[in-house]
Amino acid sequence: MRVIQHLGIVGECNIQYALNPHSLEYCIIEVNARLSRSSALASKATGYPLAAVAAKLGMGLTLPQIRNAVTQSTAAFFEPSLDYVVTKVPRWDLAKFDAVSRKIGSQMKSVGEVMAIGRTFEESLQKALRMTDPSVKGFSPAGDWCDPDVLAEELVHPTPDRMYAIADALYHQRLDIDGIHAYSDVDRWFLQRCSNISAVDRALSTMSLAELDAAQLRRVKQLGFSDVQIAERVGATEAEVRARRKDLFVTPHVKKIDTLAAEFPAQTNYLYTTYHGSEHDLSFNDNGIVVLGSGTYRIGSSVEFDWCSVSVIRTLRALGYSTTVINYNPETVSTDYDESDRLYFEELSLERVLDIYDMERPAGVIVSVGGQIPNNLALPLHQNGVKVLGTSPEMIDNAEDRHKFSKLMDDIGVQQPEWTDVTSHLEARNFCQRVGYPVLVRPSYVLSGAAMKVVYNDADLSEMLDLAGEVSQDKPVVITKYAQDALEIEFDGVAKNGKVVAHAVAEHLEKAGVHSGDASLVLPPQSLSPYYITRVKDIAAQVAEALNISGPFNMQLLAEGARVSIIETNVRASRSLPFVSKTIGVDMCELATRIFVDEPLPRGGLPDLDSEPRPTSYVGVKSPMFSFTRLGGADPVLSCEMASTGEVACYGDDLNEAYLKSIMGATFRLPKKNILLTAQSAFLDDLVHPAHKLARMGYKLYATAITAEFLQAANVDVTKVHHVSQRRGDGDVTAVDMIKDAGIDMVVNLHNEQTVYKADNYEIRRAAVDFGVPLLTNDRLLNTFANAMEVSKDDPVGTLKALPMSYYYRREEDANGDDFRR
């Protein structure tokens, strides 16, 4: 209070403290007189809308004048009082990066977070851990911690695995609470509650399912154990545990978030489930439509899917349908309790969705707008009697299962790279020897290219097959011949009963081999021939009909020579769907929603397969954003597995303007003077052309030995610098030295598997990231950059126009009539 009064803060304030764990001594670390990252969490945890109240205070209202949105009867001048426990757990994706430091500390490395609600810490902790990833069962041992030194190192210097190391130590009784505290300094209060979970976990492993009576099973569930956890310990299946629970009437109760610990009645629809209650806080008579959200933000699943979910929710409400949302991400709009008629801040697991479905008795469930997590539930939900709206779950499985999909494409005559499904390492090696390396290893039912990688030899093949099998579990792994020089094309569409009613075709600036989430996307296509676009549309019509799609879908395709082949189809909303919808002026999710509930579609104006590419009067470019600066040691290279943590989109009169706007929006600084070039031999011929343009524009070019010699032979003015490994004396200046000494404004590093100076090239890329120097590692992006800069070389920034989106929409309407936006 004294800090706020002293600084005269009006609105929200965030203060971070440091507390001495051995006394009551504390100090302030920092003060942020603004909304913070934790503001959304605090608002969702308490039901107190901090941002809304802060905005009203900024407008001159006082707290007594602002109504409590939860009770609808009291004012906002209160401190929330809770009768539940909220646990937030971060989501890390460090495993996606080569050479990254996995240590966590004062620099943020997480890409998302989850929030779980329960009546006890144990209940909410186990929920939260499962929310971070479907593969996590709860507070259970994971990993190999048999070596005492390895365990001690993890406890002293934590990585994202420390929670599971603690679970292992407690479950196997390698250390007691005091021993873990001595290494980790985790408060004994938390460790005692974790020990409570582990003690019951051990006890379960000595019992059978039949031995668990109602009281015991209820106690286990009150500690946050899932049906899957219980099944693993007692030697049963998840379905058997669920049936046993229901037979014994051990089911969860639904409670409201009320902010005043039931002192005043809560009027909200903000809900959670618990096994500690004895009755529900509401009646179940809405029978609306359930929308499954996207879960935690992670690489490959971010705000794009929440946009899709919210669009569907708003469309349903506008059409008069009651909506129920299940999601657990405090950073999303879909978890604002006033966005839907009912909000369950709950797990997106088969168990929890079935629990809610049994209680709510909804008209149906929408799984196809929240990304891969809800999409993976489609078939299990269907098999448990849930009515899934949109495309049939069996058809979703035909698209997600690599073997089934590849066979279906063969059956309907759609070209695809040569493929085989893997049943043994020997068969995999025989296939690779027949078609030749490189090949692409592709697991099923994964998002953002998890465990998907280009393989160049037998040793790497064995390693990747083992990893893909772990990620894909009981689903097949497919190997395809890898196309190195093909163009990659993206198709987003909406279909009804197998017929495409709206679509967009976009091209990747990068060649195939860069994950679509990391690629720069251009709409409408600027370099695809009419033949390629026609073939893509033909394939889309075939695929939509074969899968009888009703709802959104996304295809990724390759184009090379006269051949257009399909890579994969996702029968759900894609990451690119918000960008596509905003660019072509058609909300694809609104169309999909109308199809889900069999409402009529708008007449005319829809971009069906007979329409020309849209838009016609401007170009949109979506560029990725990366977080390599926060990931110490990570190699900033792009591959088939997604690495970006965000994206931006910008528009312009042509590709040049839109591209420059887009990369600048992604914090790429345009170079002022000096550019460093280094390229593997395969790229040298193509490097000559953009290098010549950049030199003509007045940039001073530097290059490592082989690159410099080639460019000099081609009459491109360039100065040679050394690799670190080529330094002969203290007077030799290396490329890394120049980056560190602020002598370079942009780095171009073109490499492949045949690169000789692997360590040197890694050092150059890593130095560029560590010292904030813009980095290009793709030859097509370099060409696009050089072309764009050449057009506006006198004043690149000054030639870019900052215009509202409405300007581009009006221009498109003028060119194409009022039917443009629907």
Side-chain angles (χ1 to χ4, degrees):
M1 291 297 294
R2 283 185 293 163
V3 170
I4 292 169
Q5 290 171 349
H6 177 76
L7 295 176
I9 294 172
V10 175
E12 193 181 351
C13 173
N14 170 269
I15 303 177
Q16 297 180 34
Y17 295 90
L19 173 68
N20 187 331
H22 306 294
S23 70
L24 296 179
E25 179 186 10
Y26 69 91
C27 63
I28 291 176
I29 301 173
E30 66 178 10
V31 177
N32 297 302
R34 56 167 171 78
L35 295 168
S36 65
R37 272 189 311 276
S38 58
S39 298
L41 175 73
S43 295
K44 302 289 171 72
T46 62
Y48 190 103
L50 291 170
V53 172
K56 291 176 181 178
L57 293 174
M59 294 167 63
L61 296 176
T62 62
L63 285 174
Q65 296 173 302
I66 302 173
R67 177 172 293 185
N68 177 354
V70 172
T71 66
Q72 293 294 318
S73 60
T74 59
F77 60 95
F78 70 94
E79 180 180 348
S81 177
L82 313 181
D83 58 359
Y84 52 86
V85 177
V86 169
T87 301
K88 185 210 90 169
V89 174
R91 160 78 193 196
W92 290 279
D93 271 331
L94 300 180
K96 285 182 171 287
F97 302 96
D98 293 333
V100 68
S101 169
R102 301 192 75 250
K103 301 298 182 185
I104 54 176
S106 58
Q107 188 174 45
M108 181 176 169
K109 291 183 177 180
S110 61
V111 293
E113 62 188 34
V114 305
M115 188 186 96
I117 308 172
R119 283 292 173 96
T120 64
F121 174 72
E122 292 94 331
E123 186 178 40
S124 66
L125 173 66
Q126 293 232 71
K127 277 186 177 183
L129 292 175
R130 288 192 293 271
M131 289 171 176
T132 61
D133 192 86
S135 66
V136 176
K137 306 297 189 296
F139 185 74
S140 300
D144 183 3
W145 309 104
C146 296
D147 187 328
D149 293 334
V150 174
L151 176 60
E153 171 64 19
E154 179 66 27
L155 296 177
V156 174
H157 300 110
T159 73
D161 298 326
R162 179 159 75 163
M163 186 69 74
Y164 308 105
I166 293 174
D168 182 273
L170 290 170
Y171 181 84
H172 293 291
Q173 299 179 304
R174 306 187 201 280
L175 292 170
D176 60 14
I177 289 174
D178 288 335
I180 296 172
H181 173 75
Y183 282 121
S184 67
D185 281 329
V186 174
D187 192 282
R188 289 183 178 86
W189 188 94
F190 295 107
L191 293 175
Q192 180 60 61
R193 274 129 194 91
C194 291
S195 181
N196 295 342
I197 298 172
S198 294
V200 171
D201 204 7
R202 275 197 311 276
L204 279 173
S205 64
T206 67
M207 304 176 71
S208 69
L209 181 58
E211 291 177 282
L212 284 171
D213 60 27
Q216 291 170 319
L217 193 50
R218 183 170 288 105
R219 175 58 182 155
V220 170
K221 298 300 287 186
Q222 286 174 341
L223 287 171
F225 282 84
S226 68
D227 289 350
V228 172
Q229 278 177 289
I230 297 169
E232 283 190 353
R233 291 297 182 226
V234 302
T237 66
E238 179 183 6
E240 289 169 340
V241 173
R242 180 174 185 81
R244 175 70 171 168
R245 264 201 309 110
K246 296 179 76 171
D247 288 344
L248 296 174
F249 302 101
V250 178
T251 54
H253 288 92
V254 177
K255 295 295 177 182
K256 290 183 178 182
I257 298 295
D258 61 17
T259 77
L260 291 175
E263 184 177 351
F264 291 88
Q267 304 298 323
T268 69
N269 53 358
Y270 186 5
L271 312 169
Y272 68 100
T273 65
T274 179
Y275 281 86
H276 288 273
S278 57
E279 62 181 7
H280 299 299
D281 281 358
L282 74 168
S283 59
F284 303 103
N285 50 20
D286 275 7
N287 308 121
I289 293 174
V290 173
V291 179
L292 302 188
S294 59
T296 180
Y297 289 161
R298 64 180 71 206
I299 291 177
S301 179
S302 190
V303 70
E304 306 96 332
F305 291 120
D306 195 58
W307 181 90
C308 295
S309 299
V310 170
S311 179
V312 168
I313 295 162
R314 291 177 179 176
T315 302
L316 286 171
R317 298 184 83 181
L319 292 171
Y321 293 87
S322 175
T323 57
T324 297
V325 171
I326 307 175
N327 201 1
Y328 52 77
N329 187 337
E331 302 172 286
T332 59
V333 176
S334 64
T335 52
D336 288 348
Y337 58 78
D338 55 356
E339 279 292 335
S340 57
D341 296 289
R342 288 188 174 175
L343 167 65
Y344 283 88
F345 224 101
E346 275 298 337
E347 301 172 63
L348 287 164
S349 64
L350 178 63
E351 174 186 346
R352 188 62 69 239
V353 175
L354 288 177
D355 287 339
I356 295 170
Y357 188 86
D358 288 346
M359 291 182 286
E360 289 283 354
R361 301 182 301 279
V365 177
I366 294 174
V367 302
S368 55
V369 293
Q372 197 65 42
I373 290 176
N375 215 46
N376 286 357
L377 291 174
L379 191 59
L381 288 173
H382 174 71
Q383 292 166 343
N384 280 272
V386 172
K387 183 179 180 182
V388 176
L389 302 180
T391 306
S392 161
E394 286 99 338
M395 290 301 181
I396 294 175
D397 182 60
N398 285 343
E400 291 287 350
D401 185 302
R402 300 290 187 193
H403 172 80
K404 292 179 181 178
F405 180 72
S406 294
K407 185 177 184 306
L408 177 64
M409 293 302 100
D410 285 346
D411 290 344
I412 65 174
V414 171
Q415 290 183 317
Q416 56 185 321
E418 194 166 358
W419 68 280
T420 186
D421 58 332
V422 173
T423 55
S424 71
H425 283 228
L426 177 60
E427 287 185 8
R429 284 195 296 273
N430 289 340
F431 172 80
C432 294
Q433 289 169 3
R434 179 169 62 82
V435 302
Y437 286 106
V439 297
L440 184 63
V441 178
R442 301 168 61 82
S444 300
Y445 277 94
V446 296
L447 180 69
S448 72
M452 188 183 298
K453 195 167 185 179
V454 179
V455 172
Y456 292 86
N457 53 60
D458 286 350
D460 289 345
L461 176 67
S462 296
E463 180 183 344
M464 284 307 304
L465 287 176
D466 290 339
L467 176 59
E470 291 176 13
V471 172
S472 205
Q473 298 179 356
D474 60 337
K475 301 298 182 182
V477 175
V478 164
I479 302 178
T480 61
K481 174 61 180 172
Y482 177 64
Q484 291 182 286
D485 296 313
L487 303 176
E488 187 158 347
I489 304 170
E490 195 105 5
F491 178 97
D492 278 293
V494 176
K496 182 176 182 179
N497 299 325
K499 182 178 180 181
V500 178
V501 297
H503 87 287
V505 177
E507 68 174 317
H508 293 191
L509 283 179
E510 300 85 349
K511 286 185 179 179
V514 175
H515 189 278
S516 61
D518 290 345
S520 303
L521 203 62
V522 182
L523 182 64
Q526 299 297 293
S527 63
L528 298 183
S529 70
Y531 170 76
Y532 282 156
I533 293 174
T534 299
R535 288 294 299 122
V536 168
K537 290 181 180 182
D538 292 342
I539 291 171
Q542 289 178 270
V543 171
E545 182 179 9
L547 293 171
N548 195 27
I549 295 173
S550 285
F553 72 109
N554 166 272
M555 300 191 315
Q556 289 159 39
L557 307 102
L558 300 174
E560 186 175 16
R563 181 184 175 92
V564 177
S565 56
I566 194 166
I567 305 173
E568 66 178 10
T569 297
N570 297 301
V571 187
R572 56 166 172 80
S574 66
R575 275 179 306 273
S576 53
L577 199 62
F579 167 69
V580 165
S581 295
K582 293 171 184 179
T583 303
I584 68 173
V586 175
D587 186 342
M588 297 279 214
C589 284
E590 179 187 343
L591 297 179
T593 307
R594 289 179 172 273
I595 292 168
F596 294 150
V597 294
D598 201 24
E599 293 281 349
L601 298 175
R603 291 187 177 181
L606 295 181
D608 60 22
L609 293 180
D610 293 327
S611 63
E612 293 300 314
R614 296 168 62 170
T616 61
S617 61
Y618 59 90
V619 176
V621 174
K622 179 173 76 73
S623 291
M625 287 194 66
F626 300 92
S627 298
F628 289 116
T629 53
R630 293 182 177 271
L631 303 172
D635 193 355
V637 296
L638 305 184
S639 67
C640 296
E641 187 162 2
M642 186 172 167
S644 60
T645 53
E647 64 188 22
V648 302
C650 289
Y651 300 89
D653 292 343
D654 54 27
L655 173 61
N656 295 323
E657 182 182 18
Y659 177 72
L660 284 183
K661 281 184 178 180
S662 185
I663 62 171
M664 290 171 67
T667 70
F668 188 101
R669 293 194 318 275
L670 301 183
K672 295 181 178 179
K673 185 177 180 183
N674 298 332
I675 297 175
L676 172 67
L677 307 172
T678 177
Q680 198 274 337
S681 299
F683 297 101
L684 290 176
D685 283 328
D686 291 334
L687 178 62
V688 168
H689 307 283
H692 176 68
K693 288 181 182 178
L694 293 171
R696 286 184 58 192
M697 283 185 268
Y699 286 107
K700 175 69 174 175
L701 303 184
Y702 296 86
T704 51
I706 296 174
T707 304
E709 290 166 5
F710 188 92
L711 292 176
Q712 287 168 347
N715 295 317
V716 176
D717 188 13
V718 63
T719 301
K720 184 168 74 173
V721 295
H722 297 285
H723 278 303
V724 171
S725 65
Q726 297 172 326
R727 189 198 299 268
R728 295 293 178 262
D730 293 339
D732 288 346
V733 177
T734 68
V736 172
D737 291 333
M738 294 191 68
I739 294 170
K740 291 180 178 179
D741 294 338
I744 296 295
D745 299 319
M746 186 177 85
V747 172
V748 175
N749 181 265
L750 307 179
H751 67 288
N752 59 23
E753 285 297 311
Q754 284 72 49
T755 297
V756 175
Y757 296 101
K758 284 185 168 61
D760 288 299
N761 279 277
Y762 164 75
E763 286 193 61
I764 288 173
R765 293 190 295 269
R766 192 62 231 181
V769 168
D770 290 337
F771 288 88
V773 179
L775 172 67
L776 290 177
T777 60
N778 184 276
D779 56 331
R780 292 197 74 201
L781 287 188
L782 174 61
N783 274 296
T784 305
F785 173 81
N787 291 340
M789 292 295 288
E790 185 181 41
V791 170
S792 54
K793 57 186 175 182
D794 295 329
D795 185 11
V797 176
T799 58
L800 304 179
K801 300 181 289 295
L803 298 169
M805 198 68 216
S806 57
Y807 167 83
Y808 293 107
Y809 286 155
R810 285 196 304 271
R811 195 163 72 180
E812 191 72 7
E813 288 168 359
D814 292 341
N816 298 283
D818 294 337
D819 283 340
F820 165 64
R821 295 195 67 197
R822 283 292 185 186

